[in-house]
Amino acid sequence: MYLLWKLASRNILRNTKRSILTILLISTSVIIVIFSDGFVVGMTDNMVKSATRVFSGDAQIHHPEFLQSYDPSYRFNLSGLVKSLQDEPLIAAVTARSISPAMISSSANIKSVQAIGINPDTEKHLSKIESSVIAGNYLTGDTTTEIMIGYLLAEALEVTLNDRVVLSIPALDQSDVSQDLFRVSGIFQFNTKMMDEGMVFLPLEHSLQLLGDTNSIQEVAFNFVNPKLAEDTSLQIWQKYSSNEQVAQSWTEIFPTLSTLLGMLDYTMLIVGLILYMIVALGVINSMFMSIYERTWEFGVIKAVGTTPQQIFQLIMLEGFILAIISAVIGTLLGLLVNYLVAINGIDYSQIEFVGVTIVDPVKTVIRPIQYSQLPLWVVLLTLIACLYPAIFAARLVPNKALHKSL
Amino acid sequence: MLVFKLALRNILRNRSRSLLTGLTMLGSYVLIVVAFSVQEGTYGNILSLYTQDNSGHIQITHKTYQDKPSLYKTVNQPDELISQLESFQFVTSVTPRIHSAAIAYGSQKTTPALLVGIDVIREQNTSNLANKVSNGQFMSGKPDSDGYFQAMIGGGLARQLRLSVGDELVLISQGADGSLANDIFMVSAIVGDINAPERLNVYLPLTGIQQFLSMPNRVHQLIVLIDDYRNSIDRTEAIKTSLSSDLIDAGLDAFPWQIIEQEFYRVMKADIEGNVMSQYTIIFLVCIGILNTILMNILERTGEFGVLKAIGTTPRRIFNQIVVEAFLLAVLSCLLGLIIAIPVNWYLVTVGMQMPEPVDISGVFVESIIGYMSLWVFVRPAMIIIIAATMVALIPAYRAAKLEPLDAMRSL
Amino acid sequence: MKWTKILLPMLLVTSNLVLAETLGIATKSLSNELTVEELVDRIDNLYRLDSSHATITMEIQTPDWQRSMTMEMWTKGQDYALIRILAPRKEKGVATLKRGNEMWNYFPKINKEIKIPPSMMMGSWMGSDFTNDDLVREVSLLEEYDAELETQDSGYKLTLIPKEQTVTVWGKIIIDIEPQHLLPTKERYFDEDGTPMREMRFLELTDFDGLILPRVMELVPLNKDNQKTTLVYDNLVFNQSPDDKLFTLINLKRMR
């Protein structure tokens, strides 16, 4: 066995140019695979984050009927829910919200909007409302007249900071419409039309007061410590916080369009990836065959002298193996380096809104363990498979025919 | 030409070597064709379904309707415009639509609803609406014996108002003349389910909604489908030029889906640009793959080239010879590759690859990844392979051309 | 567009009767002893209704369409009102019933009465510039605004500025009052920057059943082109003491 190793390594060194080329081929494919993985993961993470971490949250809890009609009468009791969620180790941020349809009027116009009552402190750890403020201030919870509106809404109502607006919300018991005076304390811009012209934010207590029920709310949103956790359907959390009156759902269920589109992207990428692998395999077979072909006469000689077909098979396989290992190591190191470098600045996609979501942060490649454990191994394995046929071919060479070939 | 004859002969001379290189090229070619086809096909499928059902390929509307839709911005007396549109060869179907909103009332609850007025016959020839009916039958365009028109309601609305097929739907809205629109419609079908994008829609026959909203012979949109949606921008220009006086006089304009669905289009383009990167990668890999054998090829024949140079072949000729060989081999590989690529692509286009789970796009379920058949799908990969092979051969060819005949002949 | 109940003409009409009674004689001019607070209070009390029965024509003009509607209206006290559309033919028989702060609409063509849910209260009433909420809500000028009175050539000018807590979008309301009958001739609504946004004009003082009242009321939003709502009282009588049964749902439907 040791002999075979020695022979294999010597053979590789013998024709350096070709060996280098083969190593180049295989390691490049490793680099590409690692980069694509890093990029795609970074991209989808980013998209998900843009969708969920701008406002909606990784997961939400609602009354089971609420999402159908957004009817605020479908509400549930808070009773310690927020605290309990905050204590969960997997959860990073929790906030409660009231959601109800409302009319907002200024001296110039009247528009229908969604009035969202938020707790300014817990909200800012979960969503990006605070950083979307372009004029005025984020909600402080200190004044009773503060309200934040989108810049498009401000234009439609012809108002600016500190102007009077009246918000009218139908009380939950259907008895009346509650109205209150507000002064525009902040204007925000999310670059999503629906939010910029259709949403207003006010302090939670105030909105619950207008709704006429300070004990129940329409929505609790929370983020996991790692956004990927939201896709894990096996977590206990989903069941723990669901009951007859409320149901906890991840964004994948609340925004199915995004989820399916990502799924489709995954699948297409998989196919293209397979095709790339196959092209690489072709190159490897090509290379191995070249090397065998060159040494046909040699094989003829050693076979004539008594080397068994198995030994020749093993020899070729070993050569392939060594090449593969070297390539894998080089490729992995370089691939991780590329991912690291790109991750510093990322690639900018912020001009594009996709299914209502704008990718705000530059897409950064992600380094993850699979990249340096599984992927290189797959490449080595595939290289070995690619070597099978050439190895068998070499093993089957008939000595006298082989000896006829002179180079 | 001598060069080509020699090239061909050289290729055939060493069968195994040529075969090896050629097979790599052939294999890469087929694979790239498949990759392109799948990429094109997937997007094409999504786009085709989506534009068919929603924006259409081209729309004729009031010129500011796209930015700020309003009940009052209408296309008046559309029939003539419709026949003019149908006279274009590339137009496959035209259907008018009306959009409005109303309060829908059922037993105890009221809820806002989105009204969509459709031409019952034309719509079925244009969009997939008929396939989305989950319960009941597609409505007829004529009022029943009591004078009531039919309506089709979305799954969400049906649930909210607890309405099923055969029930009465009450709609209240404001007409285009400011009057109070109120009427009863008979539910003939339920469209989609509670999660479908159409869940809050109410579809009404065109005459019914025109009566309801007091807008006789007026519509908001003319939805146009053409033979190949990829040409929408050019076809829109053609329509605008041909019908320019009719459109301008009536304050109308024509819009391709790329403008109507601007955001989606921009994302698609970005994605395609991303794909270009993967294409360059493929090219790179192919180059390296071929490099090995072509290099070997040339190195082996060092002695040969030495002799040729010795007897007077110019370096230029040697260079050309080698490059042409690589080129020719690539061309042959691609031609042979077509033999495999065409049936494979055909299979992809007609049958496609089944996805593990069907994907819901705009209410229609897509089950498989479909390929795309076009000349480009076959030509482009060929171009890639041929250019790659030729480029790979350049440097070794140059080196061979510069050989000193004496040194070269030593390796004989 | 929301505007406070002060402008509701239907109620303004009947309440002027009360003002006249309080002042003794309809033609008496304002005596100097009448303070600002009392004047504002009187304008507030213009809404202490008896009962009325009127025929009104409403004309609405918008950039996209123009309409004219004739309706018959009964009111009783503060809480009950019934309005029935007489013309145009398409809407004949459509009715609105107000009981307290609840409202219903009845549509004869589909034979359905529909309670207007709170979410629709901010919606426009019958397509006009009035909202459902306007018909229902009560505002006390005296309590919610600070008032200043000045004299001018054409009579008096009341400037009302909302108090800090008052729920309104207006920065200022200026009411021109003619001296002879103490009736508003013009009401202007300003935003907080002092830009006039709306104007209400009261024209053609006419003798109705012994009382002098404006026959025509025009509501003009100043920030929109080509938009105006005009109300003309064709007929008006008071104190007919209508039966309570008039203001019920059953009656609503019966009045086809």
Side-chain angles (χ1 to χ4, degrees):
Chain A
M1 201 52 201
Y2 178 60
L3 181 65
L4 281 173
W5 276 97
K6 260 180 106 173
L7 276 175
S9 30
R10 209 188 292 175
N11 283 336
I12 290 175
L13 290 173
R14 246 200 328 182
N15 193 330
T16 29
K17 276 213 181 101
R18 185 174 48 246
S19 301
I20 290 181
L21 269 179
T22 316
I23 293 178
L24 184 64
L25 176 67
I26 304 177
S27 52
T28 309
S29 64
V30 172
I31 296 175
I32 289 170
V33 162
I34 293 183
F35 175 71
S36 314
D37 183 78
F39 180 76
V40 167
V41 168
M43 169 80 133
T44 47
D45 269 359
N46 206 325
M47 270 181 57
V48 168
K49 264 207 258 181
S50 297
T52 59
R53 297 216 162 181
V54 169
F55 178 65
S56 64
D58 291 343
Q60 293 173 351
I61 301 181
H62 304 107
H63 185 285
E65 299 281 323
F66 179 73
L67 285 175
Q68 269 317 299
S69 56
Y70 277 80
D71 182 345
S73 57
Y74 290 122
R75 56 203 193 277
F76 58 96
N77 244 310
L78 257 184
S79 55
L81 182 61
V82 172
K83 180 78 181 29
S84 157
L85 280 166
Q86 278 170 338
D87 289 337
E88 291 278 346
L90 289 176
I91 291 182
V94 188
T95 191
R97 297 174 182 149
S98 78
I99 303 180
S100 60
M103 300 287 264
I104 186 170
S105 50
S106 69
S107 55
N109 225 332
I110 183 169
K111 290 273 173 205
S112 72
V113 292
Q114 212 178 40
I116 306 189
I118 60 173
N119 176 331
D121 295 317
T122 53
E123 186 73 39
K124 71 176 171 214
H125 295 297
L126 191 115
S127 65
K128 290 209 155 75
I129 303 179
E130 191 178 17
S131 47
S132 315
V133 173
I134 54 170
N137 298 315
Y138 181 59
L139 295 177
T140 56
D142 294 336
T143 26
T144 51
T145 60
E146 44 178 13
I147 193 169
M148 287 171 50
I149 67 177
Y151 81 103
L152 289 176
L153 185 62
E155 274 169 26
L157 291 174
E158 296 177 39
V159 294
T160 55
L161 291 175
N162 224 29
D163 281 348
R164 278 173 180 263
V165 288
V166 171
L167 191 70
S168 313
I169 300 185
L172 284 169
D173 58 5
Q174 302 270 317
S175 63
D176 201 2
V177 177
S178 313
Q179 284 185 333
D180 232 344
L181 172 70
F182 291 83
R183 289 188 178 273
V184 180
S185 61
I187 300 183
F188 58 82
Q189 181 169 359
F190 279 100
N191 278 328
T192 311
K193 201 159 171 240
M194 192 194 68
M195 297 183 77
D196 291 331
E197 67 181 15
M199 281 188 182
V200 300
F201 297 106
L202 61 153
L204 184 61
E205 282 91 50
H206 199 167
S207 76
L208 288 179
Q209 200 187 354
L210 288 170
L211 281 168
D213 181 353
T214 43
N215 288 322
S216 353
I217 43 148
Q218 285 74 27
E219 179 173 287
V220 166
F222 60 90
N223 281 346
F224 290 99
V225 290
N226 180 343
K228 279 294 193 180
L229 285 168
E231 296 167 49
D232 185 349
T233 45
S234 65
L235 292 177
Q236 293 285 35
I237 290 198
W238 307 122
Q239 267 159 323
K240 185 170 172 191
Y241 292 97
S242 297
S243 64
N244 280 335
E245 280 87 44
Q246 65 195 52
V247 61
Q249 291 170 305
S250 118
W251 67 265
T252 52
E253 291 175 69
I254 305 177
F255 303 110
T257 332
L258 184 61
S259 180
T260 44
L261 260 150
L262 287 177
M264 219 174 152
L265 258 161
D266 269 346
Y267 195 69
T268 330
M269 287 276 346
L270 184 67
I271 297 196
V272 174
L274 278 173
I275 293 179
L276 281 176
Y277 264 129
M278 287 200 263
I279 293 181
V280 169
L282 270 179
V284 168
I285 295 179
N286 188 327
S287 180
M288 295 311 290
F289 256 115
M290 256 333 340
S291 98
I292 294 168
Y293 178 69
E294 251 182 18
R295 301 181 275 160
T296 313
W297 189 82
E298 231 174 82
F299 288 129
V301 169
I302 55 178
K303 276 196 122 179
V305 169
T307 321
T308 62
Q310 289 95 315
Q311 283 171 319
I312 297 195
F313 178 81
Q314 280 168 12
L315 179 66
I316 307 290
M317 290 306 285
L318 266 177
E319 285 176 29
F321 182 71
I322 296 175
L323 283 173
I325 295 282
I326 298 177
S327 312
V329 168
I330 298 178
T332 308
L333 286 173
L334 286 177
L336 290 176
L337 183 67
V338 168
N339 272 0
Y340 177 71
L341 290 173
V342 174
I344 296 180
N345 276 324
I347 306 176
D348 187 17
Y349 275 95
S350 62
Q351 296 311 310
I352 303 170
E353 187 182 320
F354 180 52
V355 290
V357 160
T358 309
I359 299 180
V360 174
D361 302 319
V363 174
K364 299 205 173 147
T365 41
V366 167
I367 297 183
R368 51 181 193 151
I370 196 180
Q371 289 169 3
Y372 47 80
S373 57
Q374 280 191 27
L375 289 177
L377 280 175
W378 275 107
V379 175
V380 170
L381 191 65
L382 277 161
T383 310
L384 286 177
I385 294 177
C387 291
L388 278 175
Y389 184 51
I392 294 174
F393 178 81
R396 288 241 188 104
L397 281 176
V398 180
N400 62 344
K401 281 215 183 126
L403 286 169
H404 276 296
K405 287 225 178 259
S406 63
L407 203 66
Chain B
M1 276 202 359
L2 186 63
V3 182
F4 278 98
K5 259 177 101 178
L6 279 175
L8 195 58
R9 209 190 294 174
N10 283 334
I11 291 175
L12 294 173
R13 217 174 11 138
N14 195 326
R15 292 277 170 80
S16 355
R17 205 190 299 135
S18 304
L19 205 61
L20 207 50
T21 319
L23 271 176
T24 313
M25 293 188 199
L26 191 147
S28 307
Y29 175 69
V30 172
L31 286 170
I32 299 178
V33 166
V34 168
F36 275 24
S37 176
V38 163
Q39 276 175 356
E40 281 285 303
T42 317
Y43 252 128
N45 206 7
I46 298 178
L47 271 178
S48 168
L49 282 171
Y50 186 77
T51 51
Q52 202 181 341
D53 269 355
N54 296 297
S55 61
H57 300 151
I58 301 180
Q59 267 184 29
I60 312 281
T61 64
H62 183 280
K63 59 176 183 266
T64 58
Y65 186 82
Q66 300 296 335
D67 283 330
K68 286 200 157 74
S70 148
L71 182 66
Y72 311 107
K73 295 182 183 165
T74 55
V75 177
N76 304 339
Q77 278 103 40
D79 289 334
E80 194 188 316
L81 200 53
I82 293 182
S83 22
Q84 282 175 314
L85 285 166
E86 284 179 319
S87 68
F88 286 94
Q89 219 188 355
F90 51 79
V91 168
T92 56
S93 65
V94 183
T95 190
R97 287 200 195 132
I98 289 179
H99 292 279
S100 177
I103 305 284
Y105 186 72
S107 44
Q108 292 309 313
K109 308 191 84 182
T110 59
T111 185
L114 297 167
L115 302 184
V116 183
I118 59 174
D119 178 317
V120 166
I121 299 177
R122 281 176 180 279
E123 184 74 37
Q124 293 189 74
N125 289 336
T126 309
S127 75
N128 281 314
L129 190 56
N131 294 335
K132 298 185 189 183
V133 169
S134 56
N135 236 338
Q137 288 202 322
F138 204 92
M139 62 192 177
S140 92
K142 304 211 186 322
D144 63 17
S145 48
D146 297 319
Y148 293 125
F149 280 95
Q150 291 188 321
M152 305 198 297
I153 63 178
L157 212 69
R159 190 172 189 259
Q160 289 256 65
L161 301 176
R162 304 190 219 286
L163 290 176
S164 29
V165 176
D167 285 343
E168 284 180 359
L169 171 74
V170 171
L171 290 177
I172 297 170
S173 183
Q174 187 178 52
D177 62 353
S179 64
L180 263 174
N182 57 94
D183 217 337
I184 296 180
F185 298 86
M186 308 305 293
V187 177
S188 80
I190 309 219
V191 173
D193 58 20
I194 57 179
N195 289 318
E198 303 89 16
R199 63 184 180 279
L200 290 175
N201 286 3
V202 173
Y203 296 93
L204 298 175
L206 207 64
T207 8
I209 197 176
Q210 283 170 333
Q211 205 178 305
F212 179 66
L213 294 175
S214 304
M215 42 187 291
N217 214 0
R218 290 156 69 182
V219 298
H220 291 118
Q221 301 166 321
L222 292 180
I223 307 283
V224 179
L225 290 191
I226 59 178
D227 48 14
D228 188 348
Y229 70 90
R230 284 156 223 266
N231 297 332
S232 298
I233 297 183
D234 291 331
R235 302 304 194 191
T236 308
E237 284 310 306
I239 292 178
K240 278 163 76 153
T241 329
S242 260
L243 299 177
S244 79
S245 50
D246 298 287
L247 289 177
I248 296 181
D249 288 344
L252 308 175
D253 203 355
F255 303 88
W257 66 265
Q258 287 93 337
I259 294 196
I260 302 171
E261 303 284 354
Q262 268 184 57
E263 284 143 14
F264 185 77
Y265 184 54
R266 269 190 297 174
V267 169
M268 195 187 93
K269 276 173 78 169
D271 192 55
I272 291 179
E273 263 149 54
N275 284 345
V276 166
M277 220 191 64
S278 64
Q279 287 170 18
Y280 282 130
T281 314
I282 296 179
I283 297 174
F284 184 66
L285 287 174
V286 167
C287 283
I288 299 185
I290 312 176
L291 185 63
N292 218 341
T293 37
I294 293 191
L295 205 64
M296 244 357 2
N297 200 329
I298 296 165
L299 284 177
E300 271 174 14
R301 290 151 63 192
T302 311
E304 218 176 279
F305 294 129
V307 171
L308 284 172
K309 282 195 100 177
I311 61 172
T313 320
T314 58
R316 163 121 296 180
R317 275 216 153 158
I318 304 243
F319 180 82
N320 289 345
Q321 192 66 50
I322 298 177
V323 172
V324 166
E325 267 178 45
F327 175 80
L328 203 57
L329 190 58
V331 169
L332 284 173
S333 310
C334 291
L335 283 176
L336 286 174
L338 268 177
I339 298 181
I340 304 182
I342 293 183
V344 167
N345 202 27
W346 178 249
Y347 178 77
L348 277 176
V349 170
T350 44
V351 178
M353 286 185 280
Q354 264 249 324
M355 290 199 281
E357 265 186 54
V359 168
D360 182 349
I361 294 181
S362 159
V364 180
F365 280 96
V366 176
E367 285 168 341
S368 37
I369 294 200
I370 307 261
Y372 182 65
M373 187 71 102
S374 90
L375 202 61
W376 199 232
V377 161
F378 296 107
V379 167
R380 196 131 169 260
M383 279 168 51
I384 294 178
I385 300 267
I386 294 174
I387 294 176
T390 319
M391 285 198 336
V392 159
L394 287 178
I395 296 187
Y398 180 74
R399 303 256 298 269
K402 286 276 182 215
L403 281 174
E404 284 294 333
L406 215 59
D407 296 324
M409 287 194 288
R410 290 234 175 81
S411 59
L412 275 177
Chain C
M1 173 68 231
K2 172 158 170 60
W3 52 289
T4 52
K5 206 180 174 201
I6 188 174
L7 296 185
L8 264 176
M10 348 314 169
L11 309 165
L12 181 61
V13 164
T14 17
S15 28
N16 276 307
L17 171 67
V18 178
L19 173 63
E21 285 183 358
T22 330
L23 292 181
I25 312 165
T27 50
K28 190 176 169 189
S29 47
L30 186 64
S31 76
N32 286 343
E33 291 108 45
L34 202 63
T35 63
V36 179
E37 286 77 22
E38 283 171 318
L39 183 57
V40 175
D41 187 46
R42 264 165 203 146
I43 292 190
D44 264 346
N45 290 332
L46 296 184
Y47 310 123
R48 207 162 302 284
L49 298 177
D50 256 15
S51 67
S52 75
H53 183 189
T55 319
I56 304 168
T57 304
M58 177 159 77
E59 262 170 38
I60 309 174
Q61 186 180 317
T62 74
D64 301 301
W65 46 263
Q66 219 171 338
R67 271 202 339 145
S68 182
M69 267 192 345
T70 312
M71 30 195 183
E72 194 175 353
M73 191 188 78
W74 295 262
T75 65
K76 179 169 183 173
Q78 197 63 318
D79 290 325
Y80 297 105
L82 175 64
I83 304 163
R84 199 163 146 260
I85 298 185
L86 303 171
R89 204 179 60 124
K90 195 175 178 226
E91 276 123 306
K92 180 174 161 134
V94 175
T96 301
L97 172 67
K98 164 187 138 91
R99 290 170 64 88
N101 53 11
E102 293 180 306
M103 272 179 73
W104 287 263
N105 277 339
Y106 173 70
F107 301 97
K109 177 158 74 148
I110 55 180
N111 197 18
K112 293 243 189 283
E113 85 274 4
I114 296 180
K115 178 157 194 264
I116 298 179
S119 51
M120 282 181 58
M121 285 308 271
M122 301 306 289
S124 115
W125 177 72
M126 300 287 182
S128 73
D129 279 320
F130 303 117
T131 63
N132 292 312
D133 191 62
D134 291 331
L135 282 138
V136 156
R137 195 167 288 276
E138 295 170 31
V139 169
S140 166
L141 288 176
L142 186 62
E143 286 168 33
E144 300 186 17
Y145 290 77
D146 294 320
E148 258 175 38
L149 181 63
E150 294 162 49
T151 42
Q152 54 184 10
D153 292 337
S154 50
Y156 300 99
K157 182 163 114 169
L158 250 184
T159 306
L160 296 160
I161 309 241
K163 299 189 179 167
E164 200 50 43
Q165 306 289 51
T166 304
V167 179
T168 175
V169 295
W170 304 119
K172 183 168 67 179
I173 304 175
I174 295 184
I175 307 180
D176 293 338
I177 300 177
E178 61 82 30
Q180 221 192 349
H181 307 282
L182 286 181
L183 294 171
T185 54
K186 187 151 54 157
E187 287 168 9
R188 270 169 299 160
Y189 291 74
F190 297 80
D191 69 7
E192 278 186 311
D193 299 326
T195 318
M197 302 297 282
R198 293 216 132 194
E199 198 169 284
M200 184 82 181
R201 300 170 202 145
F202 302 87
L203 311 160
E204 286 184 41
L205 294 182
T206 316
D207 187 318
F208 284 109
D209 200 13
L211 274 179
I212 310 286
L213 293 164
R215 199 170 92 92
V216 178
M217 261 149 266
E218 278 180 356
L219 173 56
V220 183
L222 297 172
N223 63 333
K224 295 184 184 157
D225 287 327
N226 268 343
Q227 192 121 352
K228 186 158 87 164
T229 304
T230 310
L231 282 155
V232 179
Y233 283 81
D234 304 317
N235 207 350
L236 181 53
V237 291
F238 306 104
N239 279 342
Q240 306 240 292
S241 292
D243 197 338
D244 274 359
K245 289 220 203 80
L246 185 63
F247 303 97
T248 56
L249 279 172
I250 305 164
N251 191 39
L252 188 71
K253 287 178 79 161
R254 215 184 278 142
M255 299 184 71
R256 269 176 164 270

